[in-house]
Every structure is written in C-alpha cells, then in structure tokens.
Amino acid sequence: MNKQVFQMRKLATAIVATLAMAGGNAMAAVSAEEAARLGADLTPIGAEKAGNADGSIPAWDGGMTESVTQGDNPFADEKPLYVITNANKEQYKDLLTPGQIALFERYPDTYQMPVYQTRRTAAYPEVIYEKAKNNATKAVIREQVAFDYDESVPFAIPQNAEEIVWNHLLRYRGGSVKRDLMQAAVQRNGDYTAVKLADEFVFPWHIADGYDPEKDANVLFYFKQVIKAPARLTGTVLLVHETLDQIKQPRLAWIYNAGQRRVRRAPQIAYDGPGTASDGLRTSDNFDMFNGAIDKYDWKLVGKKELLIPYNSFKLADKSLKYDDILMAGHVNPEFTRYEKHRVWVVEANLSEGERHIYGKRVFYIDEDTWGIAVADHYDGRGELWRVSEGHEIQYTEAKVPWNAAEIIHDLQSGRYLALGLTNEEKGLNFDHKAKHRDFTPSALRRAAKR
C-alpha cells in the first residue's frame, strides 16, 4: 500500500472508530519496547521463535522459502513418527482436544491421526512483517472491534482473547485471490454430491481500481461465490461486503438465484445462518473456521499449549488424487492427513446472556505461527460437544501465504461431515487475481452467474 492510500485508510478507520464509540474504553496497544521483541525472541508476527524443551517443536527459521507448485507435496517421502488410534489415544490425550478424542470414540475402527515431524513452514511477505510490528504499538480494540491497524496481524503480542480472534480475522491471505474449489456434505454411508465453487476474495487496499475512502471506509473485504455444479444449484451467486464494525453496520450480503432470476438481500448470511449448499452442516460463521462479528460471545483466553494439529497437509491437495480417494464414510481418509505438534493459543467463547446462537460454547485452538484457527470444538446449548472443525493448513509459497487446503467440519451427533476447500480436481488458487469495485456490486451478480 502506498503512503497516500495508507493515510486514507487510517483516516477512514479513525472516522469509523469515532462513530463506533464516543468516549468508551479501548484495549491499549503494546509499548515500543515490547514490540521490539518481534523479530528478536518472537517471530515477526508474534510466535515464540524458539523450539520447545524436548525439541519436538523446532525453532522457527524463516519458514518455507523454496517454491512448491500447487498440488505437489514437498514432504512426500516422509513417514509418520507414530499413528494415534482409538486403542492408544489415552497415551496422547494431553496433546488432543476433546473434539479430537471424540472422533476416535465416534469412529473407533477407522479414524486415525498420523503424526509427522513438526515443520514450522509458515512464512509471509516482508512487508507484512513490517506492518505487524507497526500495528503492535498502534492497533486497539473498541467495543469488540479492531481499529488503527494496517494490512497485517494487528496484535502480534496479544493481551487478551479478543485480540487473538481479531488476529485470525485479519491475518494476511494474499490480498486478492480467486479460488476454484469443491465442497461436499458426506453422508453416513460415504455418499456425497460434489458442489463446485468459484470464490473471489479481495481486501480493499488490493482492489485493482484503487482504494476508495468513501466506499471502502468500513469494508474489511469483498467476497463473491459462484456455484458451478451441480446443475440444480448452478448459477447461484453470493456477494458479501464484509464490514469491519458489524455491530454498527451489519455484514451486507446479496444472493442471486438463477431459477428466480432475481437478486435479493441475504441478512441470514451471518452468525448461525446456514452455510451455502452445506446440507445444514455448517453455519455462516463456520467458514474459514470462524468469521464475522464477535459480539455474541464472551471471550476468555485460556492460555497456550502444545497440540497435535493438521499441518503441512500437502497430501490433501495432491493433484493425482480424486475426491473419491479422499472422502469416505465418517471422515476423510487418514492416509492423506498429516498432524504435527505445534503451540496454539486456546480461546474459549461462551454465548453472552440474552444472545442466541446454535453454538452455546466454542473453543478455538489458534496456531501461533499463522494466527489461523487450526481446530475448533463446538458445543450445543445443552453444553454437549456437537461439532469438531479442523483447518488443514499448507504454505502457498508463490504468495507466501499459509492457508487451508481443506476445512473439515464433523457432526458427531449425525455421523456426517462437510469437506470444504478441496482443489484436487480444480484449478486451485490464483493469487494474481485482479478485481475491481464493479465486480462486487449487486448488479454484477447476474453477470457472474452467466460465466
């Protein structure tokens, strides 16, 4: 972002902050002395640079810098250190979430976790590191909304749970991206219908026709999703203007229905509204592990721990595989998953008094190296464990972006699961996508449906 655009963004953010709260309390940024730790004992975005005591988590050395073509597996020759099954899970229970343990109990004969050598591959562009350090002394939270940050992690040295969740929401994902991917709601017997999707995702400071201080003042990003298959859903288009302060200005969303040939507002695309073509297996705010406003929950920072999380999941993106190879009854084929030991932040969200959501409690396990949520345990209103989400991360080296190769949401009660983001039979991700404001207007939905 050039200096002029950054100043416009900063001014716009300040205006929104003033509207958001007049005279209220703000969660303060850290001091310059604390921020100096970034790039020293901490990585440039705030993870512990050193390894752990027994060496099972290595020191971060800059991440994966060599180029890897999408669909290739740089660790294809590696073998698991060990494999966790229902029979030996007690031995590793301290490294597992309640949801992960429940998956072994739900599928005792087939569910496994192959655990590999830990590789801290996460890497970002140098400019993102610079902005993270600058944000650390300036970014603040007012009324559960982040302000005064530039394009990067706002709170590299977090002081509370809300800052950690905002780090996930605002983490760098390439600026302007087009994704061709597949989603499948897998039934108890393993049957599924492949839903082909084309996403466009752009932050306003990366938009091709330039940042507009009036249009973009309270926009976090623009998102458009077109359903390409199956035929009964083809031509359905979702458009989202993700607002920064959703408490003062809720998310703006529209849907174009090809059968009705009309565009309509879609206020249900938020919170626990049903996710697109998900067969009821995910909420709108399950997408990207968690998204949207954080105002329905009371947030608690539990602490930091070592956990086995899906990581470097290049097998799941292997272009030689078909979806039938990966998707099986109960869960994805363990042959193609990879788990590693990493440090995570543990954040608990409990539904606030007077609020409504199908999840009464959620526990998020957030990777220290990427600020992406790696695992999430979701509880129903009775306090019963209901769903378990996992983000299977890989490093997209062409853009220096750690992001998920797939998101898997398990419904423990029904025995079904949703696999979202697989690209084995698709084009994959294009980080050189050029999008303009006109591509994200309601009138653009009909054009997108016809392509």
Side-chain angles (χ1 to χ4, degrees), residues 8-22:
M8 289 190 296
R9 176 74 177 178
K10 187 175 180 181
L11 176 60
T13 302
I15 293 171
V16 174
T18 301
L19 293 174
M21 186 183 131

Side-chain angles (χ1 to χ4, degrees), residues 51-52 204 260 330 387:
N52 65 351
Q260 299 175 353
R387 290 175 176 165

Side-chain angles (χ1 to χ4, degrees), residues 193-341:
T193 298
V195 178
K196 304 295 184 77
L197 304 168
D199 288 353
E200 293 178 64
F201 179 98
V202 61
F203 286 86
W205 49 91
H206 282 272
I207 207 152
D209 51 337
Y211 179 84
D212 186 318
E214 182 176 346
K215 292 180 181 177
D216 302 328
N218 192 33
V219 175
L220 177 56
F221 59 78
Y222 296 99
F223 175 82
K224 185 167 61 182
Q225 183 182 76
V226 183
I227 299 181
K228 299 292 188 179
R232 62 184 173 83
L233 297 175
T234 299
T236 300
V237 187
L238 169 66
L239 171 66
V240 173
H241 293 184
E242 182 77 344
T243 50
L244 176 64
D245 186 349
Q246 293 192 12
I247 300 169
K248 297 299 181 181
Q249 183 185 19
R251 170 185 290 163
L252 304 175
W254 299 261
I255 286 180
Y256 174 75
N257 185 296
Q260 299 175 353
R261 296 185 179 181
R262 59 189 291 255
V263 176
R264 57 184 176 84
R265 289 293 296 269
Q268 75 277 14
I269 307 297
Y271 299 114
D272 58 0
T276 303
S278 65
D279 200 22
L281 283 169
R282 76 166 177 87
T283 61
S284 290
D285 63 8
N286 274 142
F287 190 70
D288 196 35
M289 300 299 287
F290 178 75
N291 72 88
I294 70 172
D295 59 313
K296 284 189 176 292
Y297 291 93
D298 297 322
W299 298 87
K300 174 186 176 183
L301 174 56
V302 178
K304 209 172 188 182
K305 67 171 297 184
E306 295 177 4
L307 194 73
L308 295 173
I309 60 176
Y311 221 91
N312 292 312
S313 304
F314 291 97
K315 282 187 178 182
L316 278 181
D318 190 332
K319 291 293 186 182
S320 70
L321 297 178
K322 301 297 183 183
Y323 299 133
D324 284 348
D325 299 324
I326 296 171
L327 304 176
M328 56 184 284
H331 48 79
V332 299
N333 191 334
E335 180 182 348
F336 306 121
T337 62
R338 177 185 175 114
Y339 290 82
E340 299 178 0
K341 185 192 293 186

Side-chain angles (χ1 to χ4, degrees), residues 33-91:
E33 289 75 19
E34 290 175 292
R37 296 178 61 196
L38 300 173
D41 65 302
L42 301 178
T43 72
I45 64 165
E48 295 176 50
K49 186 180 287 188
N52 65 351
D54 66 8
S56 56
I57 298 176
W60 182 79
D61 62 1
M64 180 180 284
T65 55
E66 64 273 22
S67 179
V68 177
T69 302
Q70 282 190 42
D72 289 349
N73 182 7
F75 307 124
D77 295 332
E78 292 190 356
K79 305 297 182 184
L81 301 175
Y82 53 91
V83 177
I84 304 176
T85 67
N86 188 55
N88 67 358
K89 68 179 186 298
E90 285 297 312
Q91 181 179 345

Side-chain angles (χ1 to χ4, degrees), residues 37 59 64 109 122 140 144 154 157 230 317 325 360 373 399 426 447:
R37 296 178 61 196
M64 180 180 284
D109 298 325
V140 295
Q144 294 190 303
I157 305 177
D325 299 324
I373 295 171
E426 318 304 323
R447 296 196 302 271

Side-chain angles (χ1 to χ4, degrees), residues 166-178:
W166 273 107
N167 283 346
H168 167 79
L169 295 173
L170 298 176
R171 74 197 192 283
Y172 180 71
R173 280 157 280 177
S176 181
V177 187
K178 185 170 184 179

